[in-house]
PDB file of all heavy atoms in Angstrom:
ATOM      1  N   PHE A  37       9.058  -3.863   8.696  1.00  0.00           N
ATOM      2  CA  PHE A  37      10.430  -4.309   8.917  1.00  0.00           C
ATOM      3  C   PHE A  37      11.189  -4.580   7.618  1.00  0.00           C
ATOM      4  O   PHE A  37      12.298  -5.108   7.637  1.00  0.00           O
ATOM      5  CB  PHE A  37      10.438  -5.556   9.807  1.00  0.00           C
ATOM      6  CG  PHE A  37       9.928  -5.282  11.197  1.00  0.00           C
ATOM      7  CD1 PHE A  37       8.606  -5.529  11.529  1.00  0.00           C
ATOM      8  CD2 PHE A  37      10.765  -4.742  12.158  1.00  0.00           C
ATOM      9  CE1 PHE A  37       8.126  -5.263  12.800  1.00  0.00           C
ATOM     10  CE2 PHE A  37      10.306  -4.463  13.426  1.00  0.00           C
ATOM     11  CZ  PHE A  37       8.977  -4.723  13.750  1.00  0.00           C
ATOM     12  N   ALA A  38      10.605  -4.224   6.502  1.00  0.00           N
ATOM     13  CA  ALA A  38      11.264  -4.434   5.212  1.00  0.00           C
ATOM     14  C   ALA A  38      12.452  -3.481   5.064  1.00  0.00           C
ATOM     15  O   ALA A  38      12.463  -2.385   5.632  1.00  0.00           O
ATOM     16  CB  ALA A  38      10.275  -4.209   4.074  1.00  0.00           C
ATOM     17  N   GLU A  39      13.404  -3.899   4.282  1.00  0.00           N
ATOM     18  CA  GLU A  39      14.549  -3.035   4.006  1.00  0.00           C
ATOM     19  C   GLU A  39      14.059  -1.746   3.347  1.00  0.00           C
ATOM     20  O   GLU A  39      13.264  -1.773   2.415  1.00  0.00           O
ATOM     21  CB  GLU A  39      15.527  -3.755   3.076  1.00  0.00           C
ATOM     22  CG  GLU A  39      16.810  -2.981   2.856  1.00  0.00           C
ATOM     23  CD  GLU A  39      17.817  -3.746   2.017  1.00  0.00           C
ATOM     24  OE1 GLU A  39      17.774  -4.993   2.010  1.00  0.00           O
ATOM     25  OE2 GLU A  39      18.633  -3.087   1.371  1.00  0.00           O
ATOM     26  N   GLY A  40      14.491  -0.632   3.867  1.00  0.00           N
ATOM     27  CA  GLY A  40      14.106   0.666   3.325  1.00  0.00           C
ATOM     28  C   GLY A  40      12.762   1.188   3.813  1.00  0.00           C
ATOM     29  O   GLY A  40      12.351   2.284   3.449  1.00  0.00           O
ATOM     30  N   ALA A  41      12.080   0.403   4.650  1.00  0.00           N
ATOM     31  CA  ALA A  41      10.783   0.852   5.181  1.00  0.00           C
ATOM     32  C   ALA A  41      10.990   2.087   6.043  1.00  0.00           C
ATOM     33  O   ALA A  41      11.950   2.173   6.813  1.00  0.00           O
ATOM     34  CB  ALA A  41      10.129  -0.249   5.997  1.00  0.00           C
ATOM     35  N   ALA A  42      10.080   3.035   5.906  1.00  0.00           N
ATOM     36  CA  ALA A  42      10.190   4.267   6.690  1.00  0.00           C
ATOM     37  C   ALA A  42       8.835   4.943   6.809  1.00  0.00           C
ATOM     38  O   ALA A  42       7.953   4.761   5.973  1.00  0.00           O
ATOM     39  CB  ALA A  42      11.185   5.230   6.044  1.00  0.00           C
ATOM     40  N   ILE A  43       8.705   5.721   7.860  1.00  0.00           N
ATOM     41  CA  ILE A  43       7.570   6.623   8.008  1.00  0.00           C
ATOM     42  C   ILE A  43       7.985   7.926   7.338  1.00  0.00           C
ATOM     43  O   ILE A  43       9.040   8.472   7.644  1.00  0.00           O
ATOM     44  CB  ILE A  43       7.237   6.864   9.486  1.00  0.00           C
ATOM     45  CG1 ILE A  43       6.766   5.564  10.143  1.00  0.00           C
ATOM     46  CG2 ILE A  43       6.175   7.959   9.638  1.00  0.00           C
ATOM     47  CD1 ILE A  43       6.605   5.651  11.650  1.00  0.00           C
ATOM     48  N   VAL A  44       7.179   8.410   6.423  1.00  0.00           N
ATOM     49  CA  VAL A  44       7.522   9.656   5.736  1.00  0.00           C
ATOM     50  C   VAL A  44       6.740  10.847   6.274  1.00  0.00           C
ATOM     51  O   VAL A  44       7.124  12.002   6.050  1.00  0.00           O
ATOM     52  CB  VAL A  44       7.354   9.540   4.207  1.00  0.00           C
ATOM     53  CG1 VAL A  44       8.329   8.508   3.648  1.00  0.00           C
ATOM     54  CG2 VAL A  44       5.927   9.198   3.817  1.00  0.00           C
ATOM     55  N   TYR A  45       5.661  10.571   7.003  1.00  0.00           N
ATOM     56  CA  TYR A  45       4.853  11.658   7.539  1.00  0.00           C
ATOM     57  C   TYR A  45       4.107  11.164   8.767  1.00  0.00           C
ATOM     58  O   TYR A  45       3.679  10.004   8.803  1.00  0.00           O
ATOM     59  CB  TYR A  45       3.840  12.130   6.497  1.00  0.00           C
ATOM     60  CG  TYR A  45       3.581  13.609   6.562  1.00  0.00           C
ATOM     61  CD1 TYR A  45       4.411  14.510   5.915  1.00  0.00           C
ATOM     62  CD2 TYR A  45       2.507  14.112   7.292  1.00  0.00           C
ATOM     63  CE1 TYR A  45       4.186  15.872   5.982  1.00  0.00           C
ATOM     64  CE2 TYR A  45       2.273  15.470   7.357  1.00  0.00           C
ATOM     65  CZ  TYR A  45       3.114  16.349   6.709  1.00  0.00           C
ATOM     66  OH  TYR A  45       2.896  17.693   6.776  1.00  0.00           O
ATOM     67  N   MET A  46       3.966  12.006   9.777  1.00  0.00           N
ATOM     68  CA  MET A  46       3.189  11.696  10.982  1.00  0.00           C
ATOM     69  C   MET A  46       2.170  12.794  11.203  1.00  0.00           C
ATOM     70  O   MET A  46       2.449  13.966  10.954  1.00  0.00           O
ATOM     71  CB  MET A  46       4.088  11.630  12.216  1.00  0.00           C
ATOM     72  CG  MET A  46       5.042  10.500  12.255  1.00  0.00           C
ATOM     73  SD  MET A  46       5.913  10.513  13.848  1.00  0.00           S
ATOM     74  CE  MET A  46       7.089   9.222  13.552  1.00  0.00           C
ATOM     75  N   MET A  47       1.001  12.393  11.702  1.00  0.00           N
ATOM     76  CA  MET A  47      -0.050  13.344  12.020  1.00  0.00           C
ATOM     77  C   MET A  47      -0.645  13.011  13.387  1.00  0.00           C
ATOM     78  O   MET A  47      -0.896  11.843  13.688  1.00  0.00           O
ATOM     79  CB  MET A  47      -1.171  13.301  10.974  1.00  0.00           C
ATOM     80  CG  MET A  47      -0.807  13.989   9.696  1.00  0.00           C
ATOM     81  SD  MET A  47      -0.475  13.042   8.185  1.00  0.00           S
ATOM     82  CE  MET A  47      -0.489  11.368   8.493  1.00  0.00           C
ATOM     83  N   PHE A  48      -0.846  14.046  14.196  1.00  0.00           N
ATOM     84  CA  PHE A  48      -1.452  13.921  15.514  1.00  0.00           C
ATOM     85  C   PHE A  48      -2.609  14.921  15.592  1.00  0.00           C
ATOM     86  O   PHE A  48      -2.476  16.060  15.138  1.00  0.00           O
ATOM     87  CB  PHE A  48      -0.445  14.303  16.614  1.00  0.00           C
ATOM     88  CG  PHE A  48       0.715  13.374  16.765  1.00  0.00           C
ATOM     89  CD1 PHE A  48       1.748  13.352  15.840  1.00  0.00           C
ATOM     90  CD2 PHE A  48       0.797  12.531  17.863  1.00  0.00           C
ATOM     91  CE1 PHE A  48       2.840  12.514  15.993  1.00  0.00           C
ATOM     92  CE2 PHE A  48       1.887  11.681  18.032  1.00  0.00           C
ATOM     93  CZ  PHE A  48       2.907  11.670  17.090  1.00  0.00           C
ATOM     94  N   ARG A  49      -3.714  14.502  16.203  1.00  0.00           N
ATOM     95  CA  ARG A  49      -4.826  15.424  16.445  1.00  0.00           C
ATOM     96  C   ARG A  49      -5.395  15.127  17.823  1.00  0.00           C
ATOM     97  O   ARG A  49      -5.564  13.967  18.192  1.00  0.00           O
ATOM     98  CB  ARG A  49      -5.920  15.266  15.394  1.00  0.00           C
ATOM     99  CG  ARG A  49      -6.981  16.345  15.525  1.00  0.00           C
ATOM    100  CD  ARG A  49      -8.061  16.233  14.464  1.00  0.00           C
ATOM    101  NE  ARG A  49      -9.001  17.321  14.516  1.00  0.00           N
ATOM    102  CZ  ARG A  49      -9.911  17.508  15.467  1.00  0.00           C
ATOM    103  NH1 ARG A  49      -9.982  16.681  16.485  1.00  0.00           N
ATOM    104  NH2 ARG A  49     -10.739  18.542  15.418  1.00  0.00           N
ATOM    105  N   TRP A  50      -5.694  16.182  18.590  1.00  0.00           N
ATOM    106  CA  TRP A  50      -6.198  16.036  19.942  1.00  0.00           C
ATOM    107  C   TRP A  50      -6.947  17.304  20.322  1.00  0.00           C
ATOM    108  O   TRP A  50      -6.993  18.254  19.563  1.00  0.00           O
ATOM    109  CB  TRP A  50      -5.061  15.762  20.919  1.00  0.00           C
ATOM    110  CG  TRP A  50      -4.113  16.922  21.110  1.00  0.00           C
ATOM    111  CD1 TRP A  50      -4.086  17.795  22.166  1.00  0.00           C
ATOM    112  CD2 TRP A  50      -3.063  17.350  20.233  1.00  0.00           C
ATOM    113  NE1 TRP A  50      -3.092  18.739  21.996  1.00  0.00           N
ATOM    114  CE2 TRP A  50      -2.441  18.483  20.812  1.00  0.00           C
ATOM    115  CE3 TRP A  50      -2.583  16.890  19.001  1.00  0.00           C
ATOM    116  CZ2 TRP A  50      -1.387  19.152  20.208  1.00  0.00           C
ATOM    117  CZ3 TRP A  50      -1.525  17.574  18.405  1.00  0.00           C
ATOM    118  CH2 TRP A  50      -0.932  18.673  19.007  1.00  0.00           C
ATOM    119  N   GLU A  51      -7.565  17.295  21.510  1.00  0.00           N
ATOM    120  CA  GLU A  51      -8.203  18.489  22.041  1.00  0.00           C
ATOM    121  C   GLU A  51      -7.375  18.990  23.213  1.00  0.00           C
ATOM    122  O   GLU A  51      -6.909  18.189  24.039  1.00  0.00           O
ATOM    123  CB  GLU A  51      -9.634  18.192  22.495  1.00  0.00           C
ATOM    124  CG  GLU A  51     -10.563  17.914  21.340  1.00  0.00           C
ATOM    125  CD  GLU A  51     -11.994  17.668  21.782  1.00  0.00           C
ATOM    126  OE1 GLU A  51     -12.250  17.543  23.003  1.00  0.00           O
ATOM    127  OE2 GLU A  51     -12.862  17.582  20.892  1.00  0.00           O
ATOM    128  N   ASP A  52      -7.212  20.313  23.295  1.00  0.00           N
ATOM    129  CA  ASP A  52      -6.463  20.880  24.418  1.00  0.00           C
ATOM    130  C   ASP A  52      -7.335  20.891  25.676  1.00  0.00           C
ATOM    131  O   ASP A  52      -8.477  20.419  25.661  1.00  0.00           O
ATOM    132  CB  ASP A  52      -5.903  22.263  24.072  1.00  0.00           C
ATOM    133  CG  ASP A  52      -6.965  23.331  23.892  1.00  0.00           C
ATOM    134  OD1 ASP A  52      -8.137  23.115  24.276  1.00  0.00           O
ATOM    135  OD2 ASP A  52      -6.611  24.402  23.358  1.00  0.00           O
ATOM    136  N   GLU A  53      -6.806  21.438  26.754  1.00  0.00           N
ATOM    137  CA  GLU A  53      -7.512  21.433  28.040  1.00  0.00           C
ATOM    138  C   GLU A  53      -8.844  22.186  27.997  1.00  0.00           C
ATOM    139  O   GLU A  53      -9.709  21.980  28.837  1.00  0.00           O
ATOM    140  CB  GLU A  53      -6.621  21.992  29.155  1.00  0.00           C
ATOM    141  CG  GLU A  53      -6.168  23.424  28.948  1.00  0.00           C
ATOM    142  CD  GLU A  53      -4.966  23.572  28.018  1.00  0.00           C
ATOM    143  OE1 GLU A  53      -4.363  22.553  27.636  1.00  0.00           O
ATOM    144  OE2 GLU A  53      -4.641  24.713  27.674  1.00  0.00           O
ATOM    145  N   ASN A  54      -9.037  23.052  27.000  1.00  0.00           N
ATOM    146  CA  ASN A  54     -10.288  23.796  26.835  1.00  0.00           C
ATOM    147  C   ASN A  54     -11.248  23.114  25.867  1.00  0.00           C
ATOM    148  O   ASN A  54     -12.321  23.651  25.579  1.00  0.00           O
ATOM    149  CB  ASN A  54     -10.006  25.219  26.346  1.00  0.00           C
ATOM    150  CG  ASN A  54      -9.141  25.981  27.319  1.00  0.00           C
ATOM    151  OD1 ASN A  54      -9.346  25.930  28.532  1.00  0.00           O
ATOM    152  ND2 ASN A  54      -8.133  26.670  26.796  1.00  0.00           N
ATOM    153  N   GLY A  55     -10.849  21.970  25.330  1.00  0.00           N
ATOM    154  CA  GLY A  55     -11.692  21.265  24.374  1.00  0.00           C
ATOM    155  C   GLY A  55     -11.539  21.763  22.951  1.00  0.00           C
ATOM    156  O   GLY A  55     -12.298  21.373  22.066  1.00  0.00           O
TER     157      GLY A  55
END
Side-chain angles (χ1 to χ4, degrees):
F37 295 96
E39 186 176 334
I43 295 172
V44 296
Y45 215 84
M46 292 185 186
M47 284 108 354
F48 293 74
R49 188 178 185 289
W50 68 102
E51 290 182 351
D52 68 14
E53 61 278 352
N54 300 316

